[in-house]
Amino acid sequence: MSKRVLAVDDSTSMRLILEATLVEAGYDATVAVDGRDALARAVAASAPFDLVLTDHNMPGLTGLELIAALRELAPYATTPILLLTTEEGDGFKARAREAGASGWLLKPLDPQLLTDVLAQLLAPAPG
């Protein structure tokens, strides 16, 4: 069974890129239009997503706010969550870690880098 990934971005073109990249790499992709939509989809899912990709700068609920909200839900306490952002300062990275981000990727997004990082994060634990 393929891994389930929730991808969140308020940009239509970015959602299309994320969905195409994920599907091509063999993931079961679900896309959300913003943080509130993503949180609703995560809560309503019959099983938790295996990984969440979220944009940071979105109206209503930012990526950091979404991450913090997901981390409060037991099924997402340890789920890998990657932040997609154009921000790269140390202060932002500290806030991302504090919110519970597993890591971040800078935009513009390199699809090959994304699939490589996902493969690492979703690989079975050794042993």
Side-chain angles (χ1 to χ4, degrees), residues 21-77:
T21 300
L22 292 168
V23 168
E24 186 175 313
Y27 296 105
D28 178 1
T30 298
V31 293
V33 299
D34 59 29
R36 286 195 171 96
D37 182 30
L39 188 57
R41 288 173 185 268
V43 169
S46 58
F49 289 95
D50 297 298
L51 185 137
V52 177
L53 292 169
T54 181
D55 182 25
H56 172 56
N57 292 312
M58 297 182 289
L61 197 64
T62 69
L64 294 183
E65 291 166 338
L66 172 61
I67 292 168
L70 288 171
R71 291 296 185 218
E72 291 180 11
L73 303 173
Y76 294 98

